[in-house]
Amino acid sequence: MTMTNMKCDVCQVGDAIGVASTSLPFSCAYCVTCAQHGADPEWMMNYYLFDVANGDPDMIKAGVIHTFKDGQYMSFHEWVKLQPVDVAAIEFQKSRYEKFMGASDGE
Ligand SMILES: [Zn+2]
């Protein structure tokens, strides 16, 4: 639930000024600074990486998606570089995607 502590859902530090839409159709509390940066909550980076890009960061257009982590704003690609490489999770996502695409071909 958003705004329960009146803090920003993106940085968890700034005072919430209101609720606004993220880059996906999802709303969360924003502080002034995060709203001006157009930043998304960090959990959305995982969503972009695994459910949108199927584990391939290059599927996301550079410079479009931003988040806040460890006290600074960063792009999606900067965030990806900080993540431990979880090859098993990437392979699982790719196999799930391929299975889904196969199923949608009428099988
Ligand atoms: Zn904030």
Side-chain angles (χ1 to χ4, degrees):
M1 183 175 291
T2 196
M3 289 189 77
T4 52
N5 61 358
M6 298 305 288
K7 290 293 179 189
C8 176
D9 287 328
V10 178
C11 67
Q12 313 291 324
V13 177
D15 292 330
I17 57 167
V19 173
S21 179
T22 62
S23 61
L24 292 169
F26 169 82
S27 297
C28 70
Y30 273 94
C31 70
V32 171
T33 312
C34 287
Q36 289 173 336
H37 276 87
D40 289 321
E42 186 182 1
W43 65 264
M44 282 180 62
M45 301 303 106
N46 284 306
Y47 178 77
Y48 272 111
L49 181 58
F50 291 112
D51 285 337
V52 178
N54 294 303
D56 180 0
D58 292 338
M59 295 285 286
I60 303 294
K61 192 174 175 184
V64 174
I65 309 300
H66 294 84
T67 193
F68 183 89
K69 182 179 178 65
D70 298 335
Q72 61 183 339
Y73 294 95
M74 62 185 66
S75 70
F76 170 78
H77 290 93
E78 290 168 328
W79 175 85
V80 165
K81 289 176 189 168
L82 299 177
Q83 303 310 305
V85 176
D86 188 342
V87 175
I90 292 170
E91 290 304 317
F92 172 75
Q93 282 301 119
K94 284 185 176 171
S95 70
R96 194 176 81 158
Y97 176 73
E98 287 165 4
K99 211 176 276 183
F100 173 78
M101 292 308 286
S104 69
D105 287 343
E107 291 179 28

